[in-house]
Amino acid sequence: MTEEVQDAAKNLKVICKHGVGIDNIDVEAATKRGIPVMFTPLANYESVAEHTLALMLSLIRRIPIRDKKIRDGIFDKKNYDGLELLIKHWD
């Protein structure tokens, strides 16, 4: 939120960013205008972590690629090349 954006928002009373950090907010400009700047670092960290794990699992199992192939009418189970997280070691 640049100084120009803040100047254009004539009724701006507060700047609050959902998430971590305020590096994309011109705090100095807000301070000059008397506008408090806040952020919510703990608002959604659990959801972000869960989403990250879901995306990692989706990629290791190659779900996006398999989904597209199935939607295109291609189901080739013998060439499925998704990985598993657990590597079994047999003695």
Side-chain angles (χ1 to χ4, degrees):
M1 175 160 270
T2 65
E3 184 173 12
E4 293 78 23
V5 170
Q6 294 176 40
D7 287 340
K10 300 299 181 199
N11 295 318
L12 185 63
K13 304 283 187 235
V14 67
I15 300 170
C16 186
K17 180 180 176 213
H18 185 76
V20 176
I22 54 173
D23 55 331
N24 59 345
I25 299 171
D26 189 338
V27 178
E28 186 177 325
T31 302
K32 282 193 278 185
R33 294 185 67 200
I35 299 169
V37 176
M38 299 175 273
F39 67 104
T40 57
L42 301 177
N44 65 343
Y45 71 95
E46 289 173 337
S47 292
V48 170
E50 290 170 0
H51 189 67
T52 300
L53 287 173
L55 290 174
M56 289 168 57
L57 291 170
S58 176
L59 290 175
I60 199 166
R61 297 302 301 228
R62 300 179 55 94
I63 291 172
I65 292 167
R66 293 294 160 216
D67 177 67
K68 177 163 180 2
K69 286 193 175 202
I70 288 172
R71 289 177 190 270
D72 291 343
I74 302 167
F75 184 73
D76 188 8
K77 190 174 178 179
K78 67 180 177 175
N79 288 323
Y80 178 73
D81 56 354
L83 301 173
E84 293 183 352
L85 295 178
L86 176 64
I87 300 172
K88 296 178 185 173
H89 296 281
W90 301 101
D91 293 333

